[in-house]
């Protein structure tokens, strides 16, 4: 068998266009068409009259960001590297070489443009008849934030940092009166190095009898050593952290990424994360809607996902079946599906366990064996006896109702049904009819 010669370093008589190195059916060609059909004139107008070097085309940056998303690449540094090394990205940039900061700033400044490109993709897929829409599915997954679980602060720790910083500012004012002929931003001799500042922090800890987290110490050091711009940025960071801590209701907040939340992952470990949601056309695999949320569960994501889907495809067909997992099973979601006449399929906890191959306790007197009479708002037990509503209370911010059996004392199955209680009790809420 003959061996081909090694052609590395061989020159071409007529250099190829980069596009000739890319297969005709490559997805980058679709990306090019989608972006070329978009109007970016209004956005580019913002960059056309400013000082400095000419800005990169927003259309070009949009092409490589979308292509990177299709390749599941999110890092701006990796995208910039691809623009130097990968023929697909070289083609989409037109041989431009934007650095990672340019790409990162584009993603932050042009979120609406990226979202518009996504919607345009869905519109094209629908126009070409790619979308089937007979069955769509919604699901979420926990995505770890780029933040350390240990670099967090509680409300009390943030307040303590503020007190220490405020004390330092007061001392600075006093020193300004004594050393007014100096610049005013110079540090006193006892606080002019990180080591001396840490010693001062140690004195504060010993005096108060409370240890400080490494994150808190680092912020104080940065504030003391920083200029006015740095100090303002740190105070802004603390304001943002407090704001997100109030929103989340959690005990601590990440200083690196205050918008992230502690969520339980598949390994049952809690880590700072986000909860991205997507809705997909089952047959084609085309994503119809997407969002990134701070919610630790999927409970409140069904309605926004279906509304975004309807907006992106100009209305959900009446024949479409919608499926979700048990994470979306709750009263408000079931009522929403019923009111909007959506053909939805969501397993309850018992069905979900059976689908996962788990054994489920199924006694003759479990709650699902009791019939709910919506007209009279009462339950009927397997023996035909009535359980009426006798009480209401609030649990975790939700109104709950208690239903009690009237003739349980005379029932021969009372112990099997109610256990050691004298009467059977069932707890429900305003959505029992929807769950049935």
């Amino acid at each position: 068998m003959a061996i081909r010669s090694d052609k590395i370093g061989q020159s071409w008589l007529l250099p190829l266009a980069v596009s000739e190195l890319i297969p005709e059916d490559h997805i980058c060609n679709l990306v090019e068409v989608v972006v070329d059909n978009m109007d970016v004139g209004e956005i580019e107008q913002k960059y056309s009259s400013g000082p400095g070097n000419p800005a990169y085309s927003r259309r070009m940056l949009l092409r490589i960001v979308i292509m990177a998303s299709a390749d599941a690449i999110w890092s701006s540094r990796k995208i910039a590297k691809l623009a130097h090394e990968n023929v697909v990205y070289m083609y989409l940039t037109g041989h431009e070489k934007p650095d990672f900061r340019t790409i990162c700033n584009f993603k932050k400044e042009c979120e609406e443009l990226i979202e518009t490109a996504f919607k345009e993709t869905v519109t094209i897929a629908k126009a070409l008849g790619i979308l089937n829409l007979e069955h769509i599915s919604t699901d979420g997954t926990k995505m770890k934030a780029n933040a350390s679980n240990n670099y967090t602060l509680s409300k009390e720790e943030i307040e303590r940092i503020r007190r220490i910083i405020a004390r330092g500012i007061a001392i600075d004012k006093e020193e300004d009166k004594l050393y007014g002929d100096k610049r005013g931003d110079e540090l006193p001799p006892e606080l002019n190095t990180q080591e001396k500042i840490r010693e001062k922090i140690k004195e504060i800890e010993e005096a108060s009898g409370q240890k400080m987290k490494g994150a808190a110490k680092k912020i104080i050091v940065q504030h003391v050593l920083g200029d006015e711009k740095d100090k303002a940025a740190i105070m802004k960071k603390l304001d943002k952290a407090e704001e997100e801590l109030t929103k989340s209701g959690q005990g601590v907040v990440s200083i690196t990424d205050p918008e992230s939340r502690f969520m339980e992952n598949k390994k049952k470990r809690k880590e700072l994360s986000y909860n991205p949601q997507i809705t997909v056309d089952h047959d084609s695999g085309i994503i119809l809607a997407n969002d990134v949320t701070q919610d630790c569960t999927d409970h409140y994501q069904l309605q926004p996902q279906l509304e975004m889907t309807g907006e992106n495809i100009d209305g959900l067909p009446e024949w479409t079946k919608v499926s979700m997992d048990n994470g979306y099973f709750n009263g408000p979601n079931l009522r929403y599906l019923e009111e909007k006449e959506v053909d939805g399929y969501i397993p309850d906890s018992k069905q979900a366990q059976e689908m996962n191959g788990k054994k489920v306790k199924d006694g003759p007197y479990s709650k699902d064996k009791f019939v709910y009479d919506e007209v009279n708002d009462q339950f009927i037990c397997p023996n035909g006896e009535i359980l009426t509503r006798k009480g209401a209370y609030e649990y975790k911010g939700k109104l709950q109702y208690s239903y009690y059996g009237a003739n349980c004392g005379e029932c021969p199955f009372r112990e099997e049904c109610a256990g050691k209680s004298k009467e059977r009790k069932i707890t429900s809420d305003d959505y029992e009819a929807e769950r049935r």
Side-chain angles (χ1 to χ4, degrees), residues 15-253:
L16 293 173
V18 176
S19 58
E20 295 181 62
L21 301 174
I22 301 170
E24 291 183 2
D25 59 352
H26 196 280
I27 193 173
C28 74
N29 296 307
L30 174 61
V31 172
E32 180 185 8
V33 171
V34 169
V35 176
D36 285 350
N37 284 331
M38 293 177 61
D39 181 10
V40 299
E42 184 177 345
I43 293 176
E44 291 199 331
Q45 189 67 31
K46 299 177 183 177
Y47 301 87
S48 61
S49 57
N53 293 326
Y56 285 107
S57 163
R58 303 297 101 176
R59 198 184 298 277
M60 178 272 288
L61 293 170
L62 181 60
R63 282 197 294 263
I64 60 172
V65 167
I66 294 175
M67 188 66 242
S69 298
D71 290 335
I73 296 169
W74 317 111
S75 165
S76 296
R77 285 176 169 80
K78 290 181 179 179
I79 297 172
K81 187 171 185 287
L82 288 169
H84 283 77
E85 301 174 354
N86 188 295
V87 292
V88 169
Y89 288 81
M90 290 178 183
Y91 170 66
L92 292 176
T93 60
H95 296 286
E96 295 277 19
K97 302 291 187 291
D99 66 19
F100 73 91
R101 294 197 186 279
T102 299
I103 297 169
C104 182
N105 290 335
F106 169 76
K107 288 193 285 187
K108 289 189 288 188
E109 295 168 4
C110 300
E111 285 183 20
E112 290 186 8
L113 183 63
I114 297 170
E115 181 65 24
T116 301
F118 169 75
K119 292 179 180 179
E120 185 71 18
T121 304
V122 177
T123 301
I124 291 173
K126 184 180 179 183
L128 294 174
I130 297 174
L131 299 182
N132 182 280
L133 299 179
E134 183 176 337
H135 177 198
I136 66 174
S137 300
T138 297
D139 200 6
T141 187
K142 304 298 190 299
M143 183 175 288
K144 189 180 184 307
N146 188 19
S148 168
N149 288 359
N150 299 321
Y151 200 61
T152 58
L153 294 173
S154 66
K155 184 174 180 64
E156 292 74 20
E157 288 164 336
I158 292 173
E159 289 174 352
R160 191 178 181 198
I161 291 170
R162 287 188 186 279
R163 287 197 297 270
I164 292 172
I165 288 174
R167 181 183 172 190
I169 292 171
I171 292 171
D172 287 344
K173 288 180 179 178
E174 291 297 321
E175 288 172 348
D176 284 343
K177 294 177 183 178
L178 295 172
Y179 309 107
D181 57 333
K182 295 187 178 182
R183 289 198 315 268
D185 62 349
E186 294 171 322
L187 292 168
E190 69 272 15
L191 292 177
N192 59 4
T193 66
Q194 287 194 29
E195 289 75 16
K196 291 180 180 179
I197 296 169
R198 290 194 180 98
E199 285 297 320
K200 198 70 177 177
I201 292 173
K202 189 175 180 180
E203 290 177 18
I204 294 171
E205 287 180 324
E206 290 174 352
S208 64
Q210 292 179 316
K211 287 284 186 181
M212 296 179 66
K213 283 185 178 179
K217 294 178 183 178
K218 186 174 180 180
I219 289 172
I220 293 170
V221 171
Q222 289 173 342
H223 188 275
V224 173
L225 295 178
D227 56 23
E228 290 303 315
K229 186 177 178 181
D230 295 330
K231 293 178 191 293
I234 288 169
M235 297 310 294
K236 187 176 180 181
K237 180 184 286 189
L238 290 175
D239 290 340
K240 178 66 174 176
E242 277 194 301
E243 178 189 338
E244 291 296 331
L245 190 57
T246 303
K247 280 184 188 177
S248 71
Q250 296 187 343
V252 294
V253 62

Side-chain angles (χ1 to χ4, degrees), residues 302 306 332-342 344 346:
L302 182 147
L306 291 187
N333 284 344
L334 298 175
R335 181 170 292 178
Y336 174 80
L337 293 174
E338 184 176 345
E339 289 176 349
K340 297 298 180 180
E341 298 182 345
V342 176
I346 310 175

